[in-house]
Amino acid sequence: MSKQSKKGRAEFSSSFGVIAAAAGSAVGLGNIWKFPYITGVYGGAAFLFVYLGFILAIGLPVMLSEFIIGRKSHRNAFGAFKKLAPKSLWQYIGILGVGAAFMILAFYGVVAGWSVDYVVTALSNGFADQSPDQLAVMFTSFIESPVQPVLYQLLFMVLTGAIVMLGIKDGIERNVKVMMPVLVVIIIILNIRAVTLPGAGEGLRFLFHPDFSKLTGEGVLSALGHAFFSLSLGMGTLITYGSYIDKKNNLLNTAVKVTIADTLIAILAGVAIFPAVFAFGIEPSSGPGLVFITLPNVFQQMPGGYIFAILFFLLLTVAALTSSISILEVVVAYFHEELKLKRKIATIFATALVALLGVICSLSMGIFKDYTFYDLNFFDLLDWISANLLLPLGGLFISLFIGWKFGRKKIRAEIENGGSISELMLSGFIFLVKFIAPIAIAIVFLSGIGLLKI
Ligand code: TRP
């Protein structure tokens, strides 16, 4: 029987469903593609420790804030603020979020498409006998080509749209409940393989033995930016998912579990990758090409590499899919509730628009490469605007909203609906969202746009 709230609005049907959906949103390309390479670039463990600090002090409180806004209002990212703070400027936070969702999903779908292509290449044993240089050329010529990456991006977007079209319970919840356990199993298998390679210890030391001299100001800023991206914060994804959480759910508990799951999977991705990279004597700081160029090189030298390559790119694809549906849902819920489109029509419309923007992103790697803005191609531009402008601004306003506008009583009521919180914890949470998060985010924002030099 379908469980619906009084107004007939959809809800997740179980607390495992809630956690699988929210953790599915959080765990994505950010954890498996981006986290390992930025950790590599900024010197390993020192970066990891700063990142963990931001996750706890800023990420977790902002996540709880988004859940509170969503569940209290039972609305999409825009409608939530319209309902909680009628006729105020706060509702524009929601518009910012929907705009960010468009941009992020456009380039996210492109990278997800690459990973689908790499599943196919791995299946056909396409990495075998290629030199490191050949693998690099293989990747760059693939992403620059005008047809293949576009087709894979479209395929991925159709998959994303199809799941969202089926609805919250029958589409999103049902699929993440299967995909998240699969993801965990795959990453554990990859971890066992990586740490049992001869010479794995050096990779583990790189990941867990901090050398703070390698950590730059820029590294600290990326750590905060990435904490936001990785936890899916700042654009209303978790407001939207929060709006489907039932009144009995313990929101603090859910936020803690989702944060732990996301962080653990990022670390496990590091443990799957660095020991293997070091074991074969490859440089860890190889940037965005780490998983698409360096890893295929690792796999073709590794015993059992054929299978592990397939598993790895499957992992990347599944992780991307459980995130992309959460981003698309932000747009669909907005179109459906605010523009009053039927949910199916809203999904088709949103998917088509995002896919189109994604095609331009993909082509900007190759044939549209020369159309740049401040030296950024379209792909990098969307990435830059969303990561450096829209997400921090969204996160800033969300924490200010809960810290300054929402009210202590209502915060307590929402947290204690299904849970409990001591006076001290409540004060601590409010202090973090009132002061610490906004100040930290403002610093990252100002330096991101070049107004502050660190
Ligand atoms: N968190 C996902 C990842 O790590 C991506 C993502 C999903 C996201 N929803 C988001 C990022 C909202 C920013 C905002 O890959």
Side-chain angles (χ1 to χ4, degrees):
M1 211 184 74
S2 93
K3 184 178 158 192
Q4 303 234 312
S5 70
K6 271 183 233 111
K7 291 182 208 82
R9 203 165 184 282
E11 267 182 9
F12 292 118
S13 65
S14 65
S15 56
F16 175 65
V18 171
I19 289 169
S25 170
V27 174
L29 296 172
N31 303 59
I32 294 158
W33 170 59
K34 199 159 179 203
F35 174 80
Y37 90 69
I38 52 177
T39 304
V41 169
Y42 294 116
F47 176 86
L48 174 64
F49 282 113
V50 175
Y51 175 75
L52 290 180
F54 285 144
I55 289 279
L56 270 181
I58 298 166
L60 179 60
V62 174
M63 180 182 292
L64 182 57
S65 302
E66 290 209 20
F67 280 153
I68 290 175
I69 294 170
R71 186 174 70 174
K72 178 74 190 163
S73 64
H74 273 166
R75 288 285 183 286
N76 63 87
F78 174 73
F81 291 100
K82 217 169 71 176
K83 183 163 176 194
L84 298 177
K87 301 203 175 58
S88 70
L89 290 176
W90 291 106
Q91 53 187 295
Y92 293 101
I93 306 174
I95 292 290
L96 222 68
V98 176
F102 261 105
M103 296 186 188
I104 292 181
L105 193 48
F107 69 81
Y108 205 85
V110 173
V111 181
W114 298 346
S115 85
V116 180
D117 176 272
Y118 269 55
V119 173
V120 177
T121 309
L123 279 168
S124 61
N125 206 9
F127 305 130
D129 304 322
Q130 303 272 345
S131 69
D133 284 345
Q134 281 171 320
L135 287 167
V137 170
M138 183 170 133
F139 178 60
T140 37
S141 60
F142 161 65
I143 67 173
E144 287 179 4
S145 88
V147 181
Q148 213 172 327
V150 171
L151 291 180
Y152 279 111
Q153 179 257 349
L154 290 175
L155 172 71
F156 182 82
M157 286 311 303
V158 167
L159 219 61
T160 303
I163 294 176
V164 171
M165 174 110 79
L166 291 172
I168 303 307
K169 252 166 32 99
D170 297 336
I172 295 177
E173 184 175 353
R174 182 181 288 176
N175 280 284
V176 293
K177 273 178 166 167
V178 179
M179 287 196 277
M180 289 312 284
V182 167
L183 183 146
V184 171
V185 170
I186 296 181
I187 206 161
I188 290 174
I189 296 175
L190 292 171
N191 269 266
I192 295 172
R193 169 68 283 188
V195 299
T196 51
L197 286 167
E202 206 186 325
L204 292 175
R205 216 166 302 122
F206 175 76
L207 200 54
F208 295 116
H209 184 75
D211 174 0
F212 282 92
S213 69
K214 288 211 192 105
L215 192 68
T216 56
E218 197 188 294
V220 174
L221 298 177
S222 322
L224 182 59
H226 187 65
F228 264 79
F229 188 87
S230 188
L231 292 175
S232 300
L233 302 175
M235 54 157 254
T237 301
L238 297 182
I239 294 179
T240 308
Y241 269 10
S243 76
Y244 306 126
I245 297 180
D246 70 76
K247 284 288 175 202
K248 290 190 295 296
N249 192 284
N250 180 341
L251 291 183
L252 177 59
N253 183 299
T254 301
V256 169
K257 284 186 180 152
V258 172
T259 303
I260 292 176
D262 184 65
T263 310
L264 216 58
I265 301 270
I267 294 174
L268 288 180
V271 175
I273 292 174
F274 289 117
V277 168
F278 276 87
F280 294 104
I282 300 167
E283 260 299 296
S285 57
S286 47
L290 179 66
V291 310
F292 292 107
I293 300 171
T294 310
L295 284 191
N297 182 20
V298 166
F299 290 132
Q300 60 144 320
Q301 301 180 48
M302 172 193 276
Y306 172 73
I307 297 290
F308 294 111
I310 297 170
L311 284 177
F312 179 82
F313 289 106
L314 203 59
L315 168 76
L316 197 59
T317 305
V318 169
L321 189 56
T322 58
S323 298
S324 63
I325 55 181
S326 75
I327 310 178
L328 186 62
E329 179 59 31
V330 172
V331 184
V332 170
Y334 170 75
F335 281 176
H336 175 50
E337 290 177 358
E338 302 302 318
L339 308 185
K340 310 285 180 228
L341 296 177
K342 286 214 175 69
R343 208 185 136 89
K344 281 212 165 84
I345 307 283
T347 312
I348 294 172
F349 192 43
T351 310
L353 283 177
V354 172
L356 192 69
L357 209 59
V359 169
I360 304 174
C361 266
S362 181
L363 295 178
S364 79
M365 295 280 160
I367 56 173
F368 293 164
K369 201 195 263 178
D370 296 330
Y371 296 94
T372 56
F373 187 79
Y374 281 100
D375 268 353
L376 298 174
N377 65 23
F378 191 63
F379 179 106
D380 295 330
L381 187 67
L382 292 192
D383 183 4
W384 192 89
I385 294 176
S386 52
N388 291 322
L389 299 182
L390 300 178
L391 292 184
L393 276 181
L396 178 69
F397 291 130
I398 286 165
S399 56
L400 290 175
F401 182 78
I402 287 292
W404 295 88
K405 166 91 184 143
F406 196 70
R408 186 181 177 99
K409 251 205 208 126
K410 278 205 236 155
I411 295 176
R412 159 174 291 246
E414 210 47 51
I415 294 178
E416 294 204 324
N417 208 339
S420 66
I421 188 165
S422 68
E423 211 49 52
L424 185 69
M425 284 250 288
L426 183 64
S427 298
F429 167 63
I430 293 177
F431 179 73
L432 289 174
V433 286
K434 217 170 177 161
F435 301 109
I436 303 298
I439 293 171
I441 298 167
I443 294 175
V444 171
F445 176 68
L446 293 174
S447 55
I449 59 174
L451 286 180
L452 188 79
K453 292 268 171 284
I454 294 199

mmCIF file of all heavy atoms in Angstrom, residues 25-31 104 108 226 228-235 237 262 323-324 326-327 391, ligand 1:
data_model
loop_
_atom_site.group_PDB
_atom_site.id
_atom_site.type_symbol
_atom_site.label_atom_id
_atom_site.label_comp_id
_atom_site.label_asym_id
_atom_site.label_seq_id
_atom_site.Cartn_x
_atom_site.Cartn_y
_atom_site.Cartn_z
ATOM 1 N N SER A 25 22.667 10.207 -2.512
ATOM 2 C CA SER A 25 22.900 11.533 -3.075
ATOM 3 C C SER A 25 24.318 11.998 -2.744
ATOM 4 O O SER A 25 25.052 12.480 -3.601
ATOM 5 C CB SER A 25 21.879 12.523 -2.503
ATOM 6 O OG SER A 25 22.229 13.836 -2.848
ATOM 7 N N ALA A 26 24.685 11.825 -1.493
ATOM 8 C CA ALA A 26 25.998 12.315 -1.050
ATOM 9 C C ALA A 26 27.143 11.548 -1.714
ATOM 10 O O ALA A 26 28.101 12.141 -2.218
ATOM 11 C CB ALA A 26 26.091 12.222 0.473
ATOM 12 N N VAL A 27 27.047 10.228 -1.716
ATOM 13 C CA VAL A 27 28.134 9.418 -2.273
ATOM 14 C C VAL A 27 28.044 9.450 -3.793
ATOM 15 O O VAL A 27 27.074 8.971 -4.367
ATOM 16 C CB VAL A 27 28.025 7.955 -1.798
ATOM 17 C CG1 VAL A 27 29.065 7.097 -2.491
ATOM 18 C CG2 VAL A 27 28.176 7.887 -0.285
ATOM 19 N N GLY A 28 29.039 10.043 -4.425
ATOM 20 C CA GLY A 28 28.963 10.132 -5.882
ATOM 21 C C GLY A 28 30.338 10.314 -6.497
ATOM 22 O O GLY A 28 31.357 9.908 -5.917
ATOM 23 N N LEU A 29 30.356 10.943 -7.662
ATOM 24 C CA LEU A 29 31.630 11.214 -8.322
ATOM 25 C C LEU A 29 32.534 11.998 -7.389
ATOM 26 O O LEU A 29 33.753 11.881 -7.434
ATOM 27 C CB LEU A 29 31.389 12.022 -9.600
ATOM 28 C CG LEU A 29 30.578 11.308 -10.685
ATOM 29 C CD1 LEU A 29 30.241 12.281 -11.805
ATOM 30 C CD2 LEU A 29 31.354 10.122 -11.222
ATOM 31 N N GLY A 30 31.915 12.819 -6.539
ATOM 32 C CA GLY A 30 32.689 13.602 -5.566
ATOM 33 C C GLY A 30 33.551 12.718 -4.690
ATOM 34 O O GLY A 30 34.706 13.050 -4.400
ATOM 35 N N ASN A 31 33.029 11.587 -4.263
ATOM 36 C CA ASN A 31 33.779 10.709 -3.371
ATOM 37 C C ASN A 31 34.818 9.883 -4.113
ATOM 38 O O ASN A 31 35.918 9.673 -3.626
ATOM 39 C CB ASN A 31 32.837 9.712 -2.684
ATOM 40 C CG ASN A 31 31.752 10.406 -1.920
ATOM 41 O OD1 ASN A 31 30.978 11.175 -2.489
ATOM 42 N ND2 ASN A 31 31.696 10.181 -0.631
ATOM 43 N N ILE A 104 25.019 21.842 -12.245
ATOM 44 C CA ILE A 104 25.803 20.709 -11.740
ATOM 45 C C ILE A 104 25.461 19.450 -12.514
ATOM 46 O O ILE A 104 26.332 18.717 -12.966
ATOM 47 C CB ILE A 104 25.562 20.506 -10.227
ATOM 48 C CG1 ILE A 104 26.159 21.688 -9.452
ATOM 49 C CG2 ILE A 104 26.195 19.195 -9.751
ATOM 50 C CD1 ILE A 104 26.005 21.610 -7.962
ATOM 51 N N TYR A 108 27.888 16.997 -14.478
ATOM 52 C CA TYR A 108 27.936 15.716 -13.762
ATOM 53 C C TYR A 108 27.582 14.560 -14.712
ATOM 54 O O TYR A 108 28.225 13.513 -14.709
ATOM 55 C CB TYR A 108 26.923 15.780 -12.624
ATOM 56 C CG TYR A 108 27.205 14.882 -11.452
ATOM 57 C CD1 TYR A 108 28.052 15.284 -10.429
ATOM 58 C CD2 TYR A 108 26.608 13.623 -11.348
ATOM 59 C CE1 TYR A 108 28.294 14.475 -9.342
ATOM 60 C CE2 TYR A 108 26.849 12.808 -10.251
ATOM 61 C CZ TYR A 108 27.683 13.245 -9.256
ATOM 62 O OH TYR A 108 27.928 12.432 -8.183
ATOM 63 N N HIS A 226 34.845 21.152 -1.085
ATOM 64 C CA HIS A 226 34.546 19.758 -1.372
ATOM 65 C C HIS A 226 33.626 19.137 -0.324
ATOM 66 O O HIS A 226 32.809 18.281 -0.642
ATOM 67 C CB HIS A 226 35.818 18.932 -1.529
ATOM 68 C CG HIS A 226 35.519 17.543 -1.996
ATOM 69 N ND1 HIS A 226 34.972 17.285 -3.238
ATOM 70 C CD2 HIS A 226 35.582 16.349 -1.364
ATOM 71 C CE1 HIS A 226 34.748 15.991 -3.346
ATOM 72 N NE2 HIS A 226 35.104 15.399 -2.223
ATOM 73 N N PHE A 228 31.162 20.552 1.049
ATOM 74 C CA PHE A 228 29.823 20.916 0.595
ATOM 75 C C PHE A 228 29.367 20.046 -0.560
ATOM 76 O O PHE A 228 28.263 19.520 -0.574
ATOM 77 C CB PHE A 228 29.788 22.383 0.163
ATOM 78 C CG PHE A 228 29.311 23.264 1.257
ATOM 79 C CD1 PHE A 228 30.155 23.638 2.281
ATOM 80 C CD2 PHE A 228 27.997 23.682 1.291
ATOM 81 C CE1 PHE A 228 29.704 24.418 3.319
ATOM 82 C CE2 PHE A 228 27.531 24.459 2.323
ATOM 83 C CZ PHE A 228 28.388 24.834 3.340
ATOM 84 N N PHE A 229 30.240 19.944 -1.556
ATOM 85 C CA PHE A 229 29.873 19.186 -2.749
ATOM 86 C C PHE A 229 29.602 17.729 -2.379
ATOM 87 O O PHE A 229 28.617 17.132 -2.788
ATOM 88 C CB PHE A 229 30.996 19.276 -3.792
ATOM 89 C CG PHE A 229 30.605 18.682 -5.115
ATOM 90 C CD1 PHE A 229 29.955 19.460 -6.064
ATOM 91 C CD2 PHE A 229 30.864 17.361 -5.397
ATOM 92 C CE1 PHE A 229 29.569 18.911 -7.277
ATOM 93 C CE2 PHE A 229 30.486 16.799 -6.612
ATOM 94 C CZ PHE A 229 29.839 17.585 -7.556
ATOM 95 N N SER A 230 30.497 17.168 -1.579
ATOM 96 C CA SER A 230 30.404 15.753 -1.283
ATOM 97 C C SER A 230 29.164 15.422 -0.460
ATOM 98 O O SER A 230 28.547 14.375 -0.655
ATOM 99 C CB SER A 230 31.665 15.285 -0.557
ATOM 100 O OG SER A 230 31.646 13.891 -0.435
ATOM 101 N N LEU A 231 28.786 16.316 0.452
ATOM 102 C CA LEU A 231 27.596 16.041 1.260
ATOM 103 C C LEU A 231 26.305 16.510 0.566
ATOM 104 O O LEU A 231 25.234 16.473 1.156
ATOM 105 C CB LEU A 231 27.720 16.703 2.634
ATOM 106 C CG LEU A 231 28.796 16.124 3.569
ATOM 107 C CD1 LEU A 231 28.902 16.953 4.842
ATOM 108 C CD2 LEU A 231 28.495 14.675 3.918
ATOM 109 N N SER A 232 26.408 16.943 -0.679
ATOM 110 C CA SER A 232 25.237 17.420 -1.447
ATOM 111 C C SER A 232 24.568 18.624 -0.798
ATOM 112 O O SER A 232 23.344 18.718 -0.732
ATOM 113 C CB SER A 232 24.162 16.331 -1.604
ATOM 114 O OG SER A 232 24.654 15.235 -2.270
ATOM 115 N N LEU A 233 25.363 19.559 -0.274
ATOM 116 C CA LEU A 233 24.786 20.692 0.442
ATOM 117 C C LEU A 233 24.773 21.950 -0.406
ATOM 118 O O LEU A 233 25.534 22.083 -1.357
ATOM 119 C CB LEU A 233 25.600 20.964 1.710
ATOM 120 C CG LEU A 233 25.695 19.798 2.675
ATOM 121 C CD1 LEU A 233 26.627 20.137 3.825
ATOM 122 C CD2 LEU A 233 24.320 19.435 3.202
ATOM 123 N N GLY A 234 23.909 22.878 -0.030
ATOM 124 C CA GLY A 234 23.982 24.218 -0.589
ATOM 125 C C GLY A 234 23.077 24.499 -1.769
ATOM 126 O O GLY A 234 23.052 25.621 -2.251
ATOM 127 N N MET A 235 22.346 23.499 -2.253
ATOM 128 C CA MET A 235 21.443 23.829 -3.353
ATOM 129 C C MET A 235 20.069 23.186 -3.199
ATOM 130 O O MET A 235 19.301 23.119 -4.148
ATOM 131 C CB MET A 235 22.050 23.451 -4.695
ATOM 132 C CG MET A 235 22.488 22.027 -4.788
ATOM 133 S SD MET A 235 22.571 21.467 -6.475
ATOM 134 C CE MET A 235 21.103 20.445 -6.476
ATOM 135 N N THR A 237 19.191 20.041 -2.413
ATOM 136 C CA THR A 237 18.967 18.612 -2.637
ATOM 137 C C THR A 237 18.401 17.981 -1.369
ATOM 138 O O THR A 237 17.430 17.219 -1.413
ATOM 139 C CB THR A 237 20.299 17.893 -2.967
ATOM 140 O OG1 THR A 237 20.856 18.482 -4.121
ATOM 141 C CG2 THR A 237 20.076 16.429 -3.213
ATOM 142 N N ASP A 262 29.030 8.957 3.964
ATOM 143 C CA ASP A 262 29.695 9.676 2.877
ATOM 144 C C ASP A 262 31.204 9.752 3.111
ATOM 145 O O ASP A 262 32.000 9.533 2.204
ATOM 146 C CB ASP A 262 29.113 11.094 2.761
ATOM 147 C CG ASP A 262 29.692 11.847 1.582
ATOM 148 O OD1 ASP A 262 29.435 11.414 0.436
ATOM 149 O OD2 ASP A 262 30.413 12.837 1.788
ATOM 150 N N SER A 323 23.387 9.814 -7.180
ATOM 151 C CA SER A 323 23.496 11.253 -6.939
ATOM 152 C C SER A 323 22.716 12.046 -7.976
ATOM 153 O O SER A 323 22.023 13.006 -7.650
ATOM 154 C CB SER A 323 24.958 11.705 -7.007
ATOM 155 O OG SER A 323 25.704 11.071 -6.010
ATOM 156 N N SER A 324 22.832 11.638 -9.247
ATOM 157 C CA SER A 324 22.194 12.434 -10.298
ATOM 158 C C SER A 324 20.675 12.436 -10.128
ATOM 159 O O SER A 324 20.028 13.446 -10.381
ATOM 160 C CB SER A 324 22.600 11.932 -11.683
ATOM 161 O OG SER A 324 22.143 10.620 -11.869
ATOM 162 N N SER A 326 19.126 12.557 -7.383
ATOM 163 C CA SER A 326 18.784 13.526 -6.329
ATOM 164 C C SER A 326 18.885 14.954 -6.845
ATOM 165 O O SER A 326 18.163 15.841 -6.402
ATOM 166 C CB SER A 326 19.686 13.342 -5.107
ATOM 167 O OG SER A 326 20.981 13.854 -5.337
ATOM 168 N N ILE A 327 19.797 15.186 -7.779
ATOM 169 C CA ILE A 327 19.929 16.537 -8.339
ATOM 170 C C ILE A 327 18.743 16.819 -9.266
ATOM 171 O O ILE A 327 18.133 17.881 -9.218
ATOM 172 C CB ILE A 327 21.268 16.705 -9.094
ATOM 173 C CG1 ILE A 327 22.447 16.241 -8.226
ATOM 174 C CG2 ILE A 327 21.464 18.154 -9.511
ATOM 175 C CD1 ILE A 327 23.807 16.323 -8.902
ATOM 176 N N LEU A 391 26.880 27.163 -4.785
ATOM 177 C CA LEU A 391 26.820 26.299 -3.594
ATOM 178 C C LEU A 391 27.204 27.039 -2.323
ATOM 179 O O LEU A 391 26.498 26.964 -1.318
ATOM 180 C CB LEU A 391 27.681 25.044 -3.753
ATOM 181 C CG LEU A 391 27.234 24.019 -4.786
ATOM 182 C CD1 LEU A 391 28.132 22.791 -4.745
ATOM 183 C CD2 LEU A 391 25.795 23.620 -4.567
HETATM 184 N N1 TRP B 1 27.343 14.743 -3.516
HETATM 185 C C1 TRP B 1 27.435 14.227 -4.833
HETATM 186 C C2 TRP B 1 28.860 13.749 -5.062
HETATM 187 O O1 TRP B 1 29.654 13.716 -4.183
HETATM 188 C C3 TRP B 1 27.012 15.216 -5.885
HETATM 189 C C4 TRP B 1 25.774 15.968 -5.554
HETATM 190 C C5 TRP B 1 24.512 15.493 -5.468
HETATM 191 C C6 TRP B 1 25.706 17.327 -5.210
HETATM 192 N N2 TRP B 1 23.661 16.471 -5.079
HETATM 193 C C7 TRP B 1 24.365 17.609 -4.914
HETATM 194 C C8 TRP B 1 26.654 18.290 -5.106
HETATM 195 C C9 TRP B 1 24.000 18.872 -4.497
HETATM 196 C C10 TRP B 1 26.282 19.565 -4.713
HETATM 197 C C11 TRP B 1 24.975 19.855 -4.390
HETATM 198 O O2 TRP B 1 29.208 13.376 -6.142
#
